[in-house]
Structures are given as C-alpha cells and as structure tokens.
C-alpha cells in the first residue's frame, strides 16, 4: 500500500448494466482501477476483474440484482435480467468495488494495483505499469489488518 490519497473524480460517475435495469452512480470515484487476476474472478467474468471504488454510491434497480455469496467473506452481484456483473463486496468491511466496464470512464485513469498476479494465465499481460502483488502477499496483508481467513 502506498498510503497516498488517491486522486478522485469531482463529477459523479454514471454506470449501468447491459439491459439498463440496474444503474449505479459512484461519487468521488478514485481515478484508479483495481485489477484482480485470481481464479475466482476469471471464472466469474471470463478474465481478470477490473473494479472502481468511490466514497458513496447510489444503486437503482434492486429488484433486478442477485447477490451471490462466492465465499465466506465475499459477495458478487449481477443483473438477473442481462447477466452483467455489478460488484464485488468484501463482507468483513462491507466495502464494494464496481465493475469498471459498467461506467463511461473518462480519460486519464490509472491502475492502483494488480493482485493475485501468481494466478494470472499466460495468455495476457496488462501493458500499463502498476504495482503487483501475489495472492499470498494479499492474504498476509489482510491477516495483518486483522481479517481471519482459513
Ligand atoms: Zn441488466
Ligand atoms: Zn479476484
């Protein structure tokens, strides 16, 4: 972790699923994308996960959202009508990150970090330079922060 405050957008970031049943407004979004290369994210979305976080969020279309408990500590939500993935929630903190692809992201976004790089398949690499961490490094950081994992 760099410890630096990330740059944030001043304008709300508007997003929606493929069919439009779910819309999301993310306030004070960080101008950085979180990338996860883990096996679960790949199985969920077809390849790596790219997420955005903000300081607050409004979600509409709750009737069309299914939240799947993918593990004891995580929930992954999708639109029940069109299947678009929507967010990943880390249950111990309640923090959510939202799929970057749902939003019309302006230019100038960077990558905060790439995690679970040890689980990344060989057939792609991300060109933009960014800090990289393995799964064991991420789990050690979470444990140091007081989270319990089996
Ligand atoms: Zn939809
Ligand atoms: Zn992942």
């Amino acid at each position: 972790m760099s410890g630096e405050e990330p740059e944030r957008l001043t304008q709300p970031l508007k997003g929606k699923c493929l069919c439009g049943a779910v819309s999301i407004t993310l306030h004070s979004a960080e101008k950085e994308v979180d990338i996860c290369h883990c096996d679960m994210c790949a199985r969920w979305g077809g390849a790596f996960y790219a997420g955005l976080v903000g300081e607050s969020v409004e979600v509409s279309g709750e009737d069309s959202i299914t939240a799947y408990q993918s593990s004891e500590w995580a929930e992954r939500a999708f639109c029940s009508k069109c299947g678009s993935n929507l967010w990943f929630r880390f249950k111990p903190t309640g923090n959510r990150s939202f799929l970057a692809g749902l939003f019309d992201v302006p230019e100038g976004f960077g990558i905060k970090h790439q995690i679970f790089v040890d689980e990344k398949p060989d057939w792609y690499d991300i060109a933009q330079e960014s800090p990289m961490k393995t799964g064991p490094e991420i789990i050690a950081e979470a444990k140091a922060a007081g989270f319990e994992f089996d």
Side-chain angles (χ1 to χ4, degrees):
M1 299 285 156
S2 66
E4 282 170 41
E5 256 306 293
E7 232 189 295
R8 291 175 187 275
L9 287 181
T10 49
Q11 300 285 67
L13 202 52
K14 302 259 187 196
K16 59 177 163 49
C17 66
L18 200 53
C19 76
V22 180
S23 54
I24 298 169
T25 305
L26 194 58
H27 297 277
S28 300
E30 293 183 4
K31 290 179 74 176
E32 290 179 324
V33 179
D34 259 313
I35 304 280
C36 183
H37 299 287
C38 84
D39 296 340
M40 289 181 77
C41 285
R43 186 152 282 122
W44 185 41
F48 60 88
Y49 175 79
L52 291 176
V53 297
E55 284 185 335
S56 64
V57 68
E58 289 146 41
V59 176
S60 69
E62 296 286 349
D63 311 350
S64 304
I65 297 171
T66 302
Y68 170 68
Q69 306 300 314
S70 55
S71 69
E72 266 178 58
W73 61 86
E75 164 195 291
R76 295 169 188 260
F78 59 93
C79 172
S80 330
K81 294 199 169 114
C82 69
S84 299
N85 290 329
L86 301 169
W87 70 71
F88 174 93
R89 186 197 300 270
F90 186 59
K91 290 167 69 180
T93 59
N95 290 344
R96 278 188 287 186
S97 74
F98 297 86
L99 271 82
L102 299 169
F103 300 93
D104 298 318
V105 174
E107 286 180 15
F109 270 58
I111 295 173
K112 180 189 281 178
H113 56 205
Q114 299 183 48
I115 64 170
F116 288 90
V117 291
D118 50 321
E119 296 183 17
K120 184 186 76 60
D122 291 335
W123 54 264
Y124 71 80
D125 280 306
I126 289 174
Q128 192 178 130
E129 224 167 280
S130 49
M132 297 203 190
K133 291 173 186 171
T134 64
E137 285 168 342
I138 285 296
I139 289 164
E141 276 183 15
K143 282 184 173 163
F147 297 111
E148 299 290 333
F149 293 93
D150 293 329

